[in-house]
Amino acid sequence: SYELTQPPSVSVSPGQTARITCSADALPNQYAYWYQQKPGQAPVLVIYKDSERPSGIPERFSGSSSGTTVTLIISGVQAEDEADYYCQSPDSSGTYVVFGGGTKLTVL
Amino acid sequence: QVQLQESGPGLVKPSETLSLICNVSGDSVTNYYWSWIRQPPGKGLEWIGYIYYSGSTSYNPSLKSRVTISEDTSKNQFSLNLSSVTAADTAVYFCVMGYCSGGCFQHWGQGTLVTVSS
């Protein structure tokens, strides 16, 4: 089955830049989306179509894509950014939706 | 502003059918893509399937044999039926609106915990 691979955890100090990667063979041909989920809450879309930011999402959130890897970038990390982050993309056929396993971002 | 609210039993017995309803306000269920996504306790997100454009559906291949998603346009709601449930189906179930077939899940319900237990 098709999988999106994320690191289980990333740690950064406040004010630093966090980079969370997501890898899969079909990513050069499919858009990726990123969601932030805090404990007990529903996920929130923070990046769509690889690098677009929905209204209301802080400018410190950005996304990039290179080959089979997409990256969520959080510049100037704040304590409130500590959360689980999930990448999501269609499978190679574009028919089904797949989520990565999630990355826990810890702000030291 | 689109708002979604899940409703249904919080406890289902093994081998029975899990049934949930999502009430939608702020947009019509005849537009866009309306998904169910679940999250087992302490685990990641799993897409179950969606309904779109007045009745077409797409399901996660791993659940397809047990899942039915339908809509009631008169009530502006859509529903999930998951048959033959086991403890592995215990999860928080979210109803979600997306603007595209690939995901772009913009609006989420708060989620409802369904426990499968005798």
Side-chain angles (χ1 to χ4, degrees):
Chain A
S1 62
Y2 185 68
E3 294 184 355
L4 300 173
T5 301
Q6 299 180 235
S9 62
V10 169
S11 299
V12 295
S13 298
Q16 290 189 328
T17 296
R19 293 179 174 83
I20 300 173
T21 59
C22 175
S23 300
D25 289 343
L27 286 176
N29 303 310
Q30 301 289 354
Y31 283 125
Y33 305 82
W34 289 95
Y35 303 86
Q36 176 195 66
Q37 186 181 33
K38 296 181 179 179
Q41 298 183 18
V44 173
L45 179 67
V46 294
I47 292 292
Y48 67 98
K49 291 185 178 181
D50 293 347
S51 60
E52 300 294 322
R53 192 174 54 249
S55 61
I57 300 301
E59 291 184 5
R60 64 181 181 273
F61 288 86
S62 63
S64 68
S65 176
S66 178
T68 59
T69 299
V70 293
T71 304
L72 173 68
I73 303 162
I74 311 172
S75 304
V77 167
Q78 301 181 5
E80 66 195 51
D81 300 330
E82 186 164 285
D84 293 325
Y85 291 85
Y86 294 90
C87 66
Q88 174 259 304
S89 185
D91 72 334
S92 54
S93 71
T95 305
Y96 307 117
V97 172
V98 181
F99 284 95
T103 299
K104 181 175 181 58
L105 176 66
T106 299
V107 182
L108 300 171
Chain B
Q1 176 73 358
V2 179
Q3 293 186 317
L4 302 94
Q5 178 66 57
E6 306 88 352
S7 62
L11 181 64
V12 180
K13 290 182 168 56
S15 79
E16 295 189 344
T17 295
L18 180 160
S19 296
L20 296 174
I21 291 172
C22 182
N23 286 288
V24 177
S25 60
D27 210 319
S28 169
V29 294
T30 60
N31 301 325
Y32 306 120
Y33 295 80
W34 304 91
S35 281
W36 288 97
I37 293 169
R38 70 180 183 179
Q39 185 172 36
K43 297 187 178 181
L45 301 167
E46 180 180 33
W47 174 73
I48 298 170
Y50 55 60
I51 190 165
Y52 60 106
Y53 297 146
S54 295
S56 299
T57 55
S58 179
Y59 300 134
N60 187 323
S62 69
L63 298 169
K64 186 175 183 178
S65 63
R66 299 194 291 131
V67 173
T68 303
I69 297 175
S70 58
E71 64 183 15
D72 185 335
T73 56
S74 67
K75 297 180 180 179
N76 209 41
Q77 61 186 206
F78 65 107
S79 62
L80 168 69
N81 281 343
L82 180 66
S83 64
S84 305
V85 297
T86 70
D89 295 309
T90 294
V92 174
Y93 286 76
F94 296 98
C95 59
V96 188
M97 174 193 169
Y99 288 103
C100 66
S101 62
C104 36
F105 298 119
Q106 180 75 28
H107 301 287
W108 295 67
Q110 66 184 24
T112 186
L113 174 62
V114 179
T115 301
V116 178
S117 175
S118 55

